[in-house]
Amino acid sequence: MNRVPEKPSLDGLEDKWAATWESAGVYRFDRTRPRAEVFAIDTPPPTVSGSLHVGHVFSYTHTDTVARFWRMRGLAVFYPIGWDDNGLATERRVQNFTGVRCDPRLPHDPDFKAPFAGDVPKDHRAVAVSRPNFVELCFDVTALDERAFEALFRKLGLSFDWSLLYTTIGAESRRVSQRAFLRNLARGEAYQQDAPTLYDIDERTAVAQAEMEDRETPGAYHKLAFHRTDGSGDIEIDTTRPELLPSCVALVAHPEDERYKPLFGTTVRTPLFEVEVPILAHRLADPAKGTGIAMICTFGDITDVTWWRELDLPSRALIGFDGRFAAECPAWIATEAGRTRYAGIAGLAPKQAQKKVVELLAESGEMIGAPRPISHPVKYYERGSRPLEIVATRQWYIRNGGRNDELRAKLVARGGELTWHPPYMQHRYDNWVGGLAGDWLISRQRWFGVPIPVWYRLDEHGATIYDGPMVPTEDRLPVDPSTDCPTGYAEDQRGKPGGFIGDPDVMDTWATSSLTPQIAGQWEDDPDLFGRVFPMDVRPQAHDIIRTWLFATVVRSHHEHGCAPWKNAALSGWILDPDRKKMSKSKGNVVTPMHLLEQYGADAVRYWSASGRPGTDTAFDEGQMKIGRKLSIKILNASRFALGLGDPAAGASVTEPLDRAMLVRLADLVDEATAAFEGFDYARSLERTEAFFWRFTDDYLELVKHRAYGGHGEVAADSAKLGLRLALETLLGLFAPILPYVTEEVWSWWREGSVHRSAWPDAAKIRAAAGAGQAEGLELAAVVLGEIRRAKTEAKRGLAVEVESVVVVDTAERLAVLDGVQRDVCDAGKVRSLRAEVGEARVDVVLVAD
RNA sequence: AGGCGGAUAGCUCAGCGGUAGAGCGGCGCGUUUACACCGCGUUGGUCGCAGGUUCGAAUCCUGUUCCGCCUACCA
């Protein structure tokens, strides 16, 4: 059966085969298979906040090659895909795309239409919309983005089972997320606390430690004079945040610092605001920093929080949820001068307040010298533009070992249960878990997310009673406490004294995406399915989100299931631009992938991706894509040659030494490629297969060509045809995970079904066909052929020119091997006579005269 | 400041104890019935630096310099 086209082409293969695979269900998960026969992948759901970039193509291809390998090995591959479309990134996308902002105080407008669709003018001021309207827009815009995501992933040839598609904002995800939260709550792993938290004043939400990053930021030391209340002079302190002076609650120095030891227990008056504060001792005060004595403000940084807690200080926080200083002068500023000065900064943002305070200090003479500019690391929300503030608020947390060493040790051990690819990535995990400073803050003061499924009772005055929140039964999930009622209450009691109120917050995106194994596996909704896929075999992801997604998933699995969520963690590197910088949207150096797929073809782009070794950052390189395209074309043409020779006779076998030698090497290749894939090393498998393939086409095909055409009779020709077919079948199999389109195309010329459902190549079967083949035969023939080619090239003659004679000098042993392949060498080189001599290795070539 | 990676041909990278490799690029040759979206040949390197172990080191050990990343560092 031969359906070899006259002029094979790569054009159009993506659309043709993607459609066929979908309609034939080639990648459908077989849920009847027991756990031992399943390979389950916890695919990262990409964040829906615009478009996918070439980095996604890179890492998703890696996982896809592994999925395809295990599928060919006969496992039922559970390979879901989801869209992470809840959370702040999505909200931002929607704001930027439609030109609106959410104002939850507004009423729902049923006729509202978005003012823009991706074409928001630069000078546009965002239109305020109600929360329900905003959420509707979020659904609309994400649906649009998700269609584009799907088109790209399908074209790239990712072998997802699209029937398993989920979204993190979908009802199923909300149910899983809320159920997991409620179980955390019931077991005491989730709790509420009113405490200082990291707070982004632009997004107006609390953020978690994992979402925080340091940025080198310009600042300045200001030296301030605090006045001793016993009148014996001033204490000088250095601060980068003089605007926090009205929140000062104490000064602190190291307990062993001789300079300040005598002052502990005495008090000073703050500059400008004239508040009396104590001088205290604490080990975290660094005698080498600034003047060695610091002012404690509520709250300038995390150390302030520690001091506040450990020294039992009052809270004098002034920066509110809007990021501005309180409008009213606080009671602790008692003097008239102090209150007048505070009026000057009331309502200002931190930066403006600092400017004003510095002015006031200059006027009062309480600043010593000019500010000394410095550059120092400051904490930002990773998506934020202004430094984080610390604001005392009530928030929800999930225990993650940050405040409990026993739990911390258990979670480190869970990380140790995983097999990490590459192994050194585990250090990142250990490093992060070891350095956690607090529990995981999961509540966000946002709108498009999974609601925290609790209600609070209101007392007879309408005040919220936070103790003993009311929770829904699991059969009611998912709920939205802003529209659903707690059991035993009616809607008209919402917000009324003696009634109830819903928790207004949503959970952070990670609090839901940390449950992707449970979401994809339909935990509790389909226990049969869940039992067949959990714990999963592998979590593939990029290494920059080990501290967030990977760790959070381990935390949830540990709490809920008492085990690690997967067996393996496979970490992809980043794509670097030609200047070796990470490609990211914020740097503006991203390359959009669709045009690459159209220009080079999906297989070529996958080839480039698969040449990036696991965990290794890789340069964006269109040159590699060109090579991948060349390789794909070569596969088409070589296949056309092998299959165009016609079918071998029934009962024929591989008899020729050259053919057997090639098969011996091919079997070795299968062993190597298999071992590489078993260790998730798709890159090594590709490299070895490709190296073999080029030698196969350059040397073996040329050596065998004349004989295969029938130059030495049917038996010798059939040996070649059989060898070629076995090699072709094997090479198509080895290439199939990397180059799914071209391999499927060639497969369809002569085989039934999909190559992607065929069995992974079997080295034993190839060795059986090779019989007593001597592997060196192929190399030896290639070496002699190479010498012949060189002689022709150096003589500036064409390769078609005939060779008068060749003398091969080598050991008797090798000459015996050469003897078996000599006829093929002479055919390929157009050699009239070849003589062998024992001696020091050498090849002499004499061409026929011009 | 700790930790982890990397440093090999002009470029991208493989090799990780036994005579320095591939592809791309450069140069030259060639239309041979799979392939001009081609083929063939060829040119490229004190394997970051300095010590050490070894018969033998790109490969192991120690130190060191650059580059990247992760943690920590906000008075």
Side-chain angles (χ1 to χ4, degrees), chain A residues 5 50 122 181 220 248 296-297 305 500 524 573 652 655 757:
Chain A
K122 275 213 168 66
F181 171 82
C248 181
I296 303 174
C297 302
V305 177
F500 72 95
E524 296 290 295
T655 52
R757 281 286 189 184

Side-chain angles (χ1 to χ4, degrees), chain A residues 585-655:
Chain A
K585 213 175 288 175
S586 57
K587 289 191 176 69
N589 59 355
V590 296
V591 175
T592 54
M594 195 48 111
H595 85 273
L596 294 171
L597 293 175
E598 280 158 6
Q599 183 174 355
Y600 299 105
D603 284 344
V605 174
R606 292 174 61 102
Y607 171 90
W608 161 72
S609 299
S611 62
R613 309 191 94 77
T616 306
D617 294 347
T618 301
F620 175 74
D621 186 1
E622 292 191 46
Q624 281 296 111
M625 296 176 200
K626 289 179 184 160
I627 295 164
R629 185 166 178 86
K630 269 180 63 174
L631 173 63
S632 302
I633 292 168
K634 195 77 171 177
I635 290 171
L636 286 179
N637 288 321
S639 303
R640 190 171 101 84
F641 167 73
L643 297 173
L645 295 167
D647 297 331
S653 60
V654 180
T655 52

Side-chain angles (χ1 to χ4, degrees), chain A residues 377-423:
Chain A
V378 175
K379 297 208 182 305
Y380 287 74
Y381 173 44
E382 60 186 354
R383 300 177 189 278
S385 54
R386 284 196 280 178
L388 288 168
E389 294 295 341
I390 293 174
V391 175
T393 57
R394 176 173 294 275
Q395 302 285 347
W396 284 98
Y397 296 82
I398 290 179
R399 298 186 196 280
N400 68 356
R403 294 174 62 185
N404 179 304
D405 287 341
E406 195 184 334
L407 177 58
R408 189 195 303 264
K410 281 181 184 163
L411 290 168
V412 168
R414 287 281 178 238
E417 291 168 18
L418 304 176
T419 303
W420 296 75
H421 308 275

Side-chain angles (χ1 to χ4, degrees), chain A residues 43 68 90 114 139 189 197 240 279 483 537 633 647 709 781 833:
Chain A
T43 315
R68 288 177 179 279
T90 300
F139 277 110
E189 294 146 5
T197 51
T240 56
I279 299 177
T483 52
D537 290 270
I633 292 168
D647 297 331
Y709 280 131
S833 79

Side-chain angles (χ1 to χ4, degrees), chain A residues 68 309 459 518 568 800 819:
Chain A
R68 288 177 179 279
R309 188 177 290 134
D459 68 13
Q518 290 84 352
N568 296 280
D819 188 58

